[in-house]
Amino acid sequence: MFTRFEEFAVNSMLGQKDSPPRSHGRLQFTQDWQRSLYGLALALSKAGHFEWEAFRQNLIGSISTWEQLPCDNQPPWDYYERYLEALIKVLQEHSLLDTDELQARLIETKSESTTTDLRNIA
Amino acid sequence: MSQLFDYEKQREAESAAKVRALEALLIEKGVIGSDSVDTVLAHFETVAGPFNGAKIVARAWVDPEYKARLLADTPKAIAELNLAQGMDGAEGEHMLAVANAPGVHNLIICTLCSCYPWPILGLPPYWYKDPVFRARGVREPRAVLKEFGVPVGAETKVEVWDSSAQIRWFVVPERPANSEHLNEEQLAALVTPESMMGVALIELPAI
């Protein structure tokens, strides 16, 4: 059931510059990973691992950092990239994630997929 | 050109891999359950959304008696439709419908904060919470409506409804002209959240 938490989380984002993109009132995702990421942030906060406001402040910070990057080094705008950065940061702040651990997992996944690719080719 | 596309694809792939790794790690550590993300998202996608409001409006269009019941006792009429769980519960009981008609146009705002009938309309658009929209909606609703592309003639009365935690209003827009050939489901597909807030009219798509 839709709870007070979702209502609070949704309403607390509205009208802010971190308000997620929407189309006809629905959340707009162009890629599956964006949908997973959004759900991950909500699920973690709902489970009480951090206050939604803590995440929101990180998101505002991440957006603001992007805005201040010099044009030469500024990657094209991507709302959910900022969202991902904010989530990783809030998880670090709450000792729920060690970025080395995430990095190790990424390398491991990458090498697994490379192995699979080679097998497929063979 | 192709290099640019490669770059974008690379960025997408990296973000996707990072999110997958992050989710897998958090599940392994027991921080969240394996179905937590899907459960939260399912609410947005299947339980609470503008598709519910669209079904209610379409039913009101095809069944005048239902429309009368909807305007007289909104929660009771919503409960008749057997929508997803939560629709006729604690949130549904706060909702009240008003209908547009020739000579009457309704506009929903919230001057206090951002009360919104989310089980019916989904997530509110960003401008709904904008203090300027809220203030101007009360002071000069006709000018605001004109900016939204809804010209309201002097002969038409504009009713502004202020949502609150106690009452969350939504609009039953007018059924578009020449839509007699459409069934209830096809009519529901025409209904937008904006039309149920009173900031848009419904028109038949051009053939």
Side-chain angles (χ1 to χ4, degrees):
Chain A
M1 185 165 167
F2 204 86
T3 65
R4 284 282 169 195
F5 167 79
E6 279 90 359
E7 186 188 8
F8 165 74
V10 165
N11 284 330
S12 74
M13 289 186 287
L14 302 172
Q16 313 277 350
K17 61 182 174 178
D18 56 329
S19 183
R22 293 189 179 79
S23 173
H24 290 292
R26 295 187 194 208
L27 288 170
Q28 195 176 22
F29 303 113
T30 54
Q31 304 283 337
D32 276 350
W33 67 268
Q34 299 169 349
R35 180 183 173 279
S36 302
L37 175 63
Y38 183 81
L40 200 52
L42 275 179
L44 283 159
S45 180
K46 188 182 174 185
H49 293 297
F50 51 78
E51 290 292 326
W52 187 256
E53 184 58 21
F55 168 73
R56 210 174 70 78
Q57 288 304 324
N58 270 308
L59 182 55
I60 289 170
S62 173
I63 291 170
S64 166
T65 305
W66 180 87
E67 283 172 344
Q68 285 160 25
L69 285 173
C71 292
D72 290 351
N73 296 320
Q74 194 181 42
W77 169 249
D78 185 317
Y79 175 79
Y80 287 105
E81 279 186 7
R82 305 279 67 81
Y83 210 91
L84 177 56
E85 189 176 272
L87 181 61
I88 289 175
K89 204 163 168 208
V90 80
L91 287 171
Q92 282 178 282
E93 285 170 2
H94 289 74
S95 307
L96 290 161
L97 179 77
D98 178 341
T99 46
D100 288 344
E101 204 175 9
L102 180 62
Q103 194 56 33
R105 173 58 61 101
L106 276 169
I107 292 166
E108 193 183 307
T109 319
K110 209 170 181 178
S111 84
E112 270 173 20
S113 68
T114 311
T115 314
T116 313
D117 288 346
L118 288 173
R119 278 184 200 142
N120 286 344
I121 291 163
Chain B
M1 191 77 149
S2 65
Q3 267 181 341
L4 260 182
F5 281 124
D6 283 348
Y7 173 62
E8 289 303 315
K9 265 194 259 171
Q10 186 65 19
R11 273 178 67 179
E12 290 288 351
E14 278 177 15
S15 295
K18 229 183 238 185
V19 173
R20 271 199 306 274
L22 191 58
E23 188 176 356
L25 264 180
L26 293 170
I27 290 171
E28 271 177 34
K29 289 171 155 203
V31 175
I32 51 166
S34 58
D35 57 353
S36 302
V37 171
D38 283 339
T39 306
V40 167
L41 284 168
H43 286 291
F44 287 97
E45 291 166 357
T46 59
V47 177
F51 34 85
N52 290 317
K55 282 181 194 160
I56 295 165
V57 167
R59 175 63 59 85
W61 283 347
V62 299
D63 183 348
E65 286 177 11
Y66 178 77
K67 185 175 174 181
R69 291 200 296 279
L70 181 67
L71 299 177
D73 187 341
T74 305
K76 201 173 165 192
I78 291 175
E80 278 182 44
L81 296 189
N82 290 321
L83 297 169
Q85 191 188 3
M87 286 299 307
D88 52 357
E91 297 307 321
E93 72 196 14
H94 297 310
M95 288 187 272
L96 276 180
V98 282
N100 285 346
V104 182
H105 186 90
N106 294 284
L107 172 67
I108 307 299
I109 55 164
C110 176
T111 50
L112 286 176
C113 48
S114 61
C115 295
Y116 194 76
W118 47 263
I120 297 282
L121 298 191
L123 308 171
Y126 71 92
W127 46 261
Y128 186 72
K129 205 178 175 181
D130 187 308
V132 176
F133 169 76
R134 282 150 53 190
R136 290 187 62 223
V138 180
R139 210 173 54 238
E140 42 175 6
R142 284 171 198 275
V144 170
L145 285 167
K146 196 176 170 192
E147 286 163 23
F148 272 96
V150 183
V152 180
E155 71 288 356
T156 297
K157 189 178 173 193
V158 176
E159 299 264 26
V160 180
W161 302 93
D162 194 356
S163 277
S164 67
Q166 284 72 41
I167 301 177
R168 295 173 182 200
W169 301 93
F170 71 96
V171 177
V172 179
E174 281 192 272
R175 179 171 175 165
N178 305 316
S179 61
E180 294 74 19
H181 60 293
L182 299 178
N183 64 29
E184 195 173 327
E185 198 181 337
Q186 290 166 324
L187 287 168
L190 301 177
V191 182
T192 61
E194 290 78 11
S195 69
M196 292 184 281
M197 299 170 73
V199 294
L201 301 175
I202 297 180
E203 288 167 9
L204 287 183
I207 300 167

